[in-house]
């Protein structure tokens, strides 16, 4: 597990989401959905700011963190530190950060 990475992004200071007039579905309440230990906070995930694709140098691809997606990927969001798949007909990277499909 990437313990060092997890420590570097503790969501102690959730940032205000930009663009309040947009209909960005930012959950106000605590979501009871499946949430991995090192998932980014919703504020961070949906802020639409500086989410960069990085191709991780790992042997085996990790399971995509997009809800209901079971694909595997070596691509991850540098900011969120989650793996997300990206292919011709599936763009979990985008979907993950938009919050709706
Ligand atoms: Zn991200
Ligand atoms: Zn996916």
């Amino acid at each position: 597990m990437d313990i060092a990475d997890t420590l570097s992004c503790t969501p102690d200071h959730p940032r205000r989401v930009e663009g309040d007039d947009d209909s960005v579905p930012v959950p106000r309440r605590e979501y009871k959905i499946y949430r991995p230990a090192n998932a980014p906070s919703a504020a961070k995930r949906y802020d639409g700011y500086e989410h960069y694709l990085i191709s991780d140098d790992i042997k085996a691809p990790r399971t995509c963190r997009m809800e209901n997606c079971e694909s595997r990927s070596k691509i991850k969001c540098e900011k969120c530190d989650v793996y997300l798949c990206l292919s011709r007909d599936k763009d979990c990277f985008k979907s993950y950060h938009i919050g709706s499909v």
Side-chain angles (χ1 to χ4, degrees), residues 17-99:
V17 177
E18 292 177 19
D20 285 336
D21 50 346
D22 285 338
S23 56
V24 182
V26 180
R28 300 269 177 189
R29 298 159 288 161
E30 187 82 9
Y31 257 20
K32 293 296 180 186
I33 55 174
Y34 165 70
R35 204 168 53 167
N38 63 343
S41 65
K44 182 176 172 182
R45 173 175 166 178
Y46 298 126
D47 70 0
Y49 192 66
E50 293 181 335
H51 291 268
Y52 297 123
L53 289 166
I54 58 172
S55 189
D56 217 352
D57 186 24
I58 52 175
K59 288 177 187 170
R62 304 286 186 85
T63 305
C64 174
R65 279 292 176 81
M66 183 66 194
E67 289 83 359
N68 301 318
C69 179
E70 294 176 356
S71 300
R72 287 173 175 269
S73 175
K74 288 186 180 181
I75 298 169
K76 75 174 183 179
C77 175
E78 185 176 28
K79 183 171 182 174
C80 297
D81 193 28
V82 294
Y83 289 88
L84 294 161
C85 71
L86 188 60
S87 63
R88 189 188 298 269
D89 47 26
K90 206 170 188 181
D91 189 346
C92 284
F93 189 87
K94 191 174 178 181
S95 302
Y96 184 83
H97 293 104
I98 290 175

